[in-house]
Amino acid sequence: MIRFNSAPLTGGEAVYMQQAMANGKLCGDGPFTKKCSEWMKEHFQVNHCYLTTSCTHALEMAAYLCDIQPGDEVIMPSYTFVSTADAFVLRGAKIVFVDIHPETMNIDERLIEDAITEKTKAIVVVHYAGVSCEMDEIMEIAKRHNLRVVEDAAQGVYAWYKGKALGTIGDFGCYSFHETKNYTMGEGGALLFNDIEYRDRAEILREKGTDRSRFFRGQIDKYTWVDYGSSYLPSDLNAAYLYAQLEKAEEINERRMAIYNYYHEHFECLEQAGAVIRPFVPEYCKHNAHMYYLKLKDLETRTAFIDYLKEHDIMAVFHYIPLHSSAAGKRFGRFHGEDVHTTKESERIVRLPMFYNLTDEQVKYVTDTVLNFKGF
Ligand SMILES: *Cc1c(COP(=O)(O)O)cnc(C)c1O
């Protein structure tokens, strides 16, 4: 069976994890956590970067730092993972969903302004498949209306928009290092931001509401409970695993791109025949091959296609059930405008196996099997 996903393994992970064990510092903010955040600050050109226990938690931190109050509204696409919304719902926000661009599955920035009300506090964008949203336009809208912009860049690590790393363009960027993402630590994430104004509150929030970070910097001589907080620090053991992957970031990226390009070239004929639609990447976006998907004619074709691949020992998956049509989405949010693309496109999309350790042979087998499907 060819799996849909498998956590990348580059060889250095076990060495660094043993080092972390030898260091005798398994809790958060140990040497490997520092190495990871320094690496990201340097490579992604961002002032502040904090490793977290997940992207969900990074989003929760962002929601808190945006000062979301009960009843505030937050605009985002409905076509996303639940955490994008949940993090804001936890702070009492009302979610206002808007439609997506069918070409990229990203939020349609032209629909944002009409969804803004007096209660709107933030815009949350999701860089689907590591392809950037239209950030220039979105930042311009946010500026005009004095709104915060949070980038759910869970899928956008090591991807760029007009030369800027995804996750470093808005007020806050949130990364995921879950095992299904390009770089992993099992479960984990990061919160990124540039404005030093957020630093103290972010550190306090992440350190159980204490000013422990200031204490470690030698700015105060004891630490105490100063504000609301939680515990968002991952173990240094997990950070050790991640650091091995960050050191090989380019290699992992190249391998994923090679798989992506192989699929993309070989499915061009299907697109020309009108059987599928392939992913689209605007020329000013440098994506990271987070996923390879195809869009089929409709839900029925997709179901038959996934069954066919399964019969041939290939796992292919679909996602997301649009949030506005879920039970919680109805309770905590509303769809602004018309759902022209979200539901329709979400029913057509299918993701093919895509991970670092997928072999050339397996990629070829998946490709040939797809090309032999008779039900398009
Ligand atoms: C994976 C993912 C998340 C959640 O990441 P975790 O690290 O598992 O919390 C959030 N948003 C998007 C768009 C994702 O793909």
Side-chain angles (χ1 to χ4, degrees):
M1 179 65 98
I2 298 181
R3 294 169 63 174
F4 165 68
N5 175 68
S6 173
L9 204 57
T10 64
E13 293 86 353
V15 179
Y16 284 163
M17 286 178 84
Q18 291 225 309
Q19 264 182 36
M21 286 159 74
N23 286 342
K25 177 122 173 76
L26 297 188
C27 65
D29 282 340
F32 282 104
T33 304
K34 286 206 180 68
K35 279 180 199 283
C36 289
S37 39
E38 288 305 318
W39 189 95
M40 285 189 271
K41 282 198 260 184
E42 185 192 326
H43 286 80
F44 303 143
Q45 292 291 299
V46 69
N47 294 339
H48 305 280
C49 174
Y50 294 93
L51 228 50
T52 60
T53 29
S54 64
C55 180
T56 305
H57 282 164
L59 287 160
E60 285 180 17
M61 288 181 72
Y64 177 76
L65 294 168
C66 284
D67 200 25
I68 301 294
Q69 301 295 324
D72 286 348
E73 291 179 356
V74 176
I75 297 169
M76 66 179 66
S78 171
Y79 185 72
T80 183
F81 188 62
V82 289
S83 299
T84 319
D86 244 341
F88 290 83
V89 167
L90 276 176
R91 306 233 49 87
K94 264 268 179 236
I95 310 298
V96 179
F97 299 111
V98 297
D99 212 3
I100 51 170
H101 282 291
E103 299 83 13
T104 56
M105 308 297 278
N106 282 336
I107 191 167
D108 187 337
E109 69 288 346
R110 297 166 302 182
L111 304 173
I112 292 174
E113 211 146 22
D114 193 56
I116 295 173
T117 71
E118 279 170 8
K119 291 184 174 164
T120 310
K121 262 283 182 53
I123 303 166
V124 187
V125 302
V126 181
H127 303 300
Y128 186 69
V131 177
S132 179
C133 298
E134 297 294 343
M135 292 311 290
D136 280 349
E137 287 78 1
I138 291 165
M139 294 309 291
E140 188 57 42
I141 294 166
K143 205 167 141 196
R144 244 190 334 264
H145 297 271
N146 189 28
L147 305 175
R148 302 285 79 75
V149 173
V150 178
E151 298 176 71
D152 179 341
Q155 304 176 7
V157 182
Y158 217 76
W160 278 262
Y161 168 78
K162 301 183 183 177
K164 291 180 193 157
L166 302 192
T168 68
I169 305 162
D171 296 270
F172 300 100
C174 304
Y175 285 168
S176 175
F177 299 117
H178 185 261
E179 75 162 17
T180 52
K181 302 304 199 288
N182 293 27
Y183 309 97
T184 188
M185 53 197 280
E187 299 273 359
L191 176 72
L192 290 73
F193 56 87
N194 279 308
D195 196 338
I196 194 163
E197 178 203 329
Y198 298 119
R199 187 188 67 181
D200 285 358
R201 279 177 71 216
E203 289 180 347
I204 290 164
L205 175 63
R206 183 166 166 271
E207 275 276 23
K208 300 105 183 158
T210 71
D211 50 4
R212 218 165 96 125
S213 297
R214 261 183 272 175
F215 170 70
F216 283 131
R217 273 201 299 273
Q219 291 170 316
I220 45 176
D221 58 9
K222 59 179 185 310
Y223 74 86
T224 60
W225 184 23
V226 289
D227 202 353
Y228 176 95
S230 188
S231 183
Y232 293 124
L233 296 75
S235 160
D236 215 46
L237 210 48
N238 297 63
Y241 192 102
L242 178 64
Y243 191 60
Q245 308 223 327
L246 293 179
E247 277 194 320
K248 296 272 177 67
E250 186 51 34
E251 194 178 312
I252 293 176
N253 190 57
E254 273 174 19
R255 177 62 193 152
R256 297 188 75 107
M257 288 305 285
I259 297 169
Y260 182 103
N261 290 334
Y262 187 92
Y263 281 149
H264 206 61
E265 281 160 26
H266 285 80
F267 298 145
E268 189 182 355
C269 57
L270 290 179
E271 191 171 63
Q272 275 168 2
V276 305
I277 294 174
R278 297 177 302 160
F280 167 75
V281 181
E283 42 95 13
Y284 44 83
C285 296
K286 194 162 174 280
H287 74 107
N288 59 2
H290 172 62
M291 66 173 87
Y292 196 86
Y293 64 79
L294 292 172
K295 285 199 206 159
L296 310 186
K297 194 169 73 216
D298 51 25
L299 182 58
E300 206 182 333
T301 313
R302 183 178 72 181
T303 307
F305 182 71
I306 291 175
D307 288 348
Y308 161 83
L309 291 179
K310 204 167 175 185
E311 280 162 25
H312 291 81
D313 287 332
I314 297 166
M315 281 288 294
V317 304
F318 64 84
H319 69 174
Y320 303 109
I321 309 295
L323 295 184
H324 75 280
S325 54
S326 67
K330 284 178 187 148
R331 218 163 102 213
F332 300 121
R334 64 181 164 84
F335 198 96
H336 182 85
E338 202 186 330
D339 170 11
V340 181
H341 303 296
T342 300
T343 300
K344 182 161 165 267
E345 298 302 311
S346 74
E347 289 178 345
R348 304 171 60 193
I349 210 161
V350 58
R351 300 172 61 185
L352 298 179
M354 162 63 82
F355 53 91
Y356 174 69
N357 302 89
L358 201 60
T359 65
D360 285 347
E361 215 175 20
Q362 289 174 318
V363 177
K364 185 172 183 311
Y365 175 70
V366 173
T367 304
D368 293 345
T369 309
V370 168
L371 291 171
N372 280 327
F373 180 60
K374 300 285 181 279
F376 285 123

